[in-house]
Amino acid sequence: MAGIIYIIGMGPGDKDMMTAQAYDAMEHADIIVGYTVYVDLVKDIFPTKEFFTTPMRQEIERCRACYDFAIEGKNVAFICSGDAGIYGMAAPMFELLPEYVNTNSEISADNIVVIPGVTAAISGAAVLGAPINHDFCVISLSDLLTPWEVIEKRLKAAIMGDFAIVLYNPSSKKRHDYLEKAVKIMLEAGADENRACGYVENIGREGTKSVTLPLGELKTSQVNMFTTVFIGNSKSEIINGKLVTKRGYQI
Ligand code: SAH
């Protein structure tokens, strides 16, 4: 009989920020599959488990490995950082599913279980204060799989809708100026230079660092790929160093 594939969001890194459901699924799995960096984070917790890792950019190979292990009868814990359904591997796993259903009668949608995790928007928000305490949206600045024009359109629309905005993948070696480009677009779309913003580096990992600052200053900030950036809405404020997007109560 084919095994179950648990697609697990393991949170930002720290064991305390993993849900009990995620922990149990990993404990019960026969094998833990993931990107090398995330597998290293859980190796200490489950030292005797079997592990399978693939490097960055081999995401689809990683998905196929999960199906192959399940067909062998193994229960698989497929781990992603944060939540597996937010820039994670849950969607490609479902995109591949029909191929396996059609060629292997033992695999069905019931073999796949998604386990939610604490995404960087939530864990980073907790570090900064309450930056997404009203309507918000999440935008990735990575144009590896999304054309830049689409990203630009979404940034403009988010400012027009006066959403608080969370930016994932704000930078990488090749895209070191993307945050600056994104901030320029938001300023042109009508956001004020003084809009309250912040960013958090290494959430739930060693070396957590958080900064609050106005949008104008964010433009020239150098952030790395382990950073999540928060842009307040037009009414957000920095209160005693904390970034707050208000609910609207009379206080
Ligand atoms: N599935 C993940 C997101 C993967 S995209 C989640 O739900 O959190 C990768 C981006 O997520 C990074 O570039 C960064 O913007 C953000 N991110 C993920 N983990 C982070 C962490 N521990 N600290 C800061 N940012 C993080």
Side-chain angles (χ1 to χ4, degrees):
M1 227 178 65
I4 302 289
I5 303 170
Y6 298 95
I7 308 177
I8 302 171
M10 54 176 263
D14 192 62
K15 181 173 162 250
D16 290 349
M17 295 170 94
M18 197 182 276
T19 68
Q21 197 186 16
Y23 185 93
D24 289 348
M26 280 188 237
E27 197 167 39
H28 291 125
D30 300 302
I31 184 162
I32 299 179
V33 176
Y35 169 42
T36 323
V37 173
Y38 305 133
V39 166
D40 284 347
L41 287 171
V42 296
K43 259 190 182 156
D44 294 343
I45 311 175
F46 304 103
T48 59
K49 284 278 169 209
E50 189 183 343
F51 292 96
F52 180 83
T53 61
T54 63
M56 202 149 77
R57 302 282 169 86
Q58 293 199 10
E59 288 85 1
I60 300 307
E61 288 81 352
R62 212 176 299 151
C63 292
R64 290 194 181 281
C66 291
Y67 278 110
D68 292 342
F69 289 129
I71 289 166
E72 285 172 20
K74 287 180 175 163
N75 289 324
V76 182
F78 186 11
I79 57 170
C80 296
S81 78
D83 182 80
I86 299 180
Y87 312 118
M89 301 316 291
M93 281 299 284
F94 285 111
E95 289 175 68
L96 286 168
L97 179 62
E99 182 186 321
Y100 288 92
V101 171
N102 291 339
T103 55
N104 187 304
S105 56
E106 284 192 1
I107 294 278
S108 76
D110 294 341
N111 289 75
I112 301 195
V113 177
V114 181
I115 296 181
V118 179
T119 188
I122 310 297
S123 51
V127 175
L128 285 173
I132 50 174
N133 214 156
H134 205 287
D135 299 339
F136 71 98
C137 66
V138 171
I139 300 174
S140 167
L141 294 190
S142 170
D143 59 356
L144 278 180
L145 301 172
T146 308
W148 179 255
E149 303 76 62
V150 173
I151 298 170
E152 188 166 332
K153 192 169 83 181
R154 289 181 181 156
L155 289 167
K156 284 183 191 157
I159 293 296
M160 280 169 63
D162 200 17
F163 288 95
I165 303 165
V166 187
L167 299 177
Y168 281 54
N169 298 302
S171 173
S172 75
K173 278 192 195 111
K174 278 196 195 140
R175 301 182 291 107
H176 60 92
D177 61 340
Y178 275 33
L179 180 59
E180 185 180 347
K181 275 168 57 174
V183 172
K184 268 190 197 152
I185 291 162
M186 291 189 274
L187 290 169
E188 280 162 23
D192 193 89
E193 289 237 323
N194 293 316
R195 182 171 296 210
C197 296
Y199 62 84
V200 193
E201 216 175 278
N202 292 321
I203 306 158
R205 298 180 191 170
E206 219 178 286
T208 306
K209 174 184 155 190
S210 70
V211 175
T212 52
L213 72 183
L215 184 61
E217 271 177 42
L218 183 66
K219 193 165 96 180
T220 51
S221 300
Q222 268 306 324
V223 298
N224 64 26
M225 64 188 287
F226 304 108
T227 309
T228 301
V229 176
F230 294 77
I231 323 287
N233 71 16
S234 61
K235 296 201 180 62
S236 300
E237 277 181 33
I238 295 169
I239 302 177
N240 290 9
K242 293 292 182 183
L243 180 57
V244 180
T245 296
K246 294 177 266 181
R247 286 288 308 278
Y249 292 114
Q250 277 301 332
I251 292 180

